[in-house]
Amino acid sequence: MKLIEIMKERLSRYDDTHNFICDNCGEEVFDGKRLCKNCKEALPYNDQVICPFCGRRVREEGVCLECKQKPLETKKARSLWVHEGDAVKLVRLYKTGSKYLFRLFVEELTPLVLREFDDADAITFVPMTKKAEKERGYNQTLLVAEGLAERTGKELLCVTEKKHETEDQQGLTREKREENMREAFKVTDKKAVKGRRILLVDDTLTTGATASALAAVLKKSGADTVYLITATSVEKKNAFGIK
């Protein structure tokens, strides 16, 4: 039986607000955590040398070349894991039907929010079109943002809208992604964002085109600062662009 089928079978026996199996490998756990000890140690936590702005792992200390050439619209970004191995698998599963995984991301991201974004006074998320959200059944970034807001006491802002469908970003260059996201978002309540320090939640930081497009709209609408937190981020091999 495939791992996914095993996990679904085990989950069907329990109330999924209480964890009895590891969300990554399916082994039983006895401490109420969402990851077993082995998976906790094996997942690629982004806790080594990072770019101080985009937060992606680099091979040497310093600002990465992309942030030097064209920084993100967010003031600071951080991610939980490097986008590799089982971290990629977990994000993919979450975005393709494994809705229950939002609890894992909330549990794991909460300490990072409290440590890196204590001064943020509100949390928001990347919106989806109504059609896309209906097809998936949920907005994965909204569920995580709701959980983080509840755990940290920060206000949840549902004040952005995606105006139209965009091309699948996978495989696109940064320039193509930026063009794809141009004028894709709007703020529906400018009073709610004015003067706020807002933490934006997304699943993965690849080029940053989506987060930058949304952050730019929020700042244009009066937000004081926009930060970014993601479950994973794509590693930058060298801070100074040497391949």
Side-chain angles (χ1 to χ4, degrees):
M1 187 182 292
K2 292 182 179 179
L3 174 60
I4 304 249
E5 294 172 344
I6 293 172
M7 291 175 71
K8 285 182 177 179
E9 189 276 328
R10 288 181 177 177
L11 280 169
S12 69
R13 291 182 284 152
Y14 303 112
D15 173 359
D16 69 358
T17 60
H18 299 85
N19 212 43
F20 295 89
I21 65 169
C22 174
D23 281 338
N24 185 51
C25 71
E27 292 297 315
E28 289 186 308
V29 293
F30 303 97
D31 58 2
K33 300 294 185 182
R34 306 211 67 90
L35 293 172
C36 68
K37 183 176 182 292
N38 289 337
C39 287
K40 186 80 173 177
E41 293 176 352
L43 278 162
Y45 284 87
N46 190 26
D47 54 6
Q48 302 300 314
V49 181
I50 62 172
C51 170
F53 295 110
C54 70
R56 288 179 277 215
R57 186 169 71 184
V58 292
R59 296 293 176 86
E60 58 190 71
E61 291 186 3
V63 179
C64 75
L65 183 63
E66 285 194 15
C67 284
K68 287 182 177 181
Q69 294 178 337
K70 192 172 186 180
L72 301 176
E73 289 287 342
T74 53
K75 182 177 181 179
K76 181 174 75 171
R78 294 292 183 267
S79 60
L80 176 65
W81 297 311
V82 179
H83 194 68
E84 61 186 31
D86 281 353
V88 176
K89 180 195 74 175
L90 286 166
V91 170
R92 185 178 297 122
L93 284 172
Y94 182 42
K95 294 172 69 173
T96 55
S98 298
K99 180 180 177 181
Y100 67 91
L101 285 173
F102 84 88
R103 294 186 176 87
L104 168 64
F105 293 111
V106 170
E107 181 176 288
E108 290 287 309
L109 284 166
T110 296
L112 187 60
V113 172
L114 295 174
R115 184 174 70 248
E116 296 284 347
F117 304 106
D118 185 57
D119 66 325
D121 54 33
I123 294 179
T124 195
F125 54 93
V126 178
M128 301 172 70
T129 62
K130 291 181 180 179
K131 178 183 177 182
E133 188 168 347
K134 184 177 181 180
E135 288 177 353
R136 179 170 292 169
Y138 55 95
N139 179 336
Q140 76 277 5
T141 61
L142 168 58
L143 291 178
V144 175
E146 286 178 328
L148 291 175
E150 182 178 351
R151 288 201 176 197
T152 64
K154 301 181 189 296
E155 182 181 355
L156 178 68
L157 296 180
C158 302
V159 295
T160 61
E161 182 178 297
K162 191 171 184 182
K163 297 191 290 185
H164 54 79
E165 292 292 349
T166 51
E167 183 181 349
D168 186 354
Q169 300 273 62
Q170 189 171 355
L172 298 181
T173 63
R174 181 174 182 176
E175 290 73 21
K176 289 291 185 181
R177 287 175 180 240
E178 288 173 349
E179 181 180 343
N180 193 30
M181 301 309 298
R182 189 169 293 124
E183 298 184 358
F185 303 110
K186 72 175 183 179
V187 173
T188 58
D189 186 352
K190 293 183 179 180
K191 289 183 179 180
V193 305
K194 188 175 181 179
R196 306 299 293 275
R197 298 183 299 276
I198 301 172
L199 176 59
L200 172 61
V201 176
D202 200 359
D203 43 56
T204 297
L205 173 61
T206 306
T207 66
T210 300
S212 282
L214 191 51
V217 170
L218 288 165
K219 291 192 294 184
K220 188 176 180 180
S221 297
D224 176 75
T225 307
V226 181
Y227 300 117
L228 172 67
I229 192 166
T230 60
T232 67
S233 61
V234 174
E235 177 182 9
K236 293 302 174 186
K237 301 297 183 183
N238 188 286
F240 304 104
I242 302 171
K243 296 182 179 179

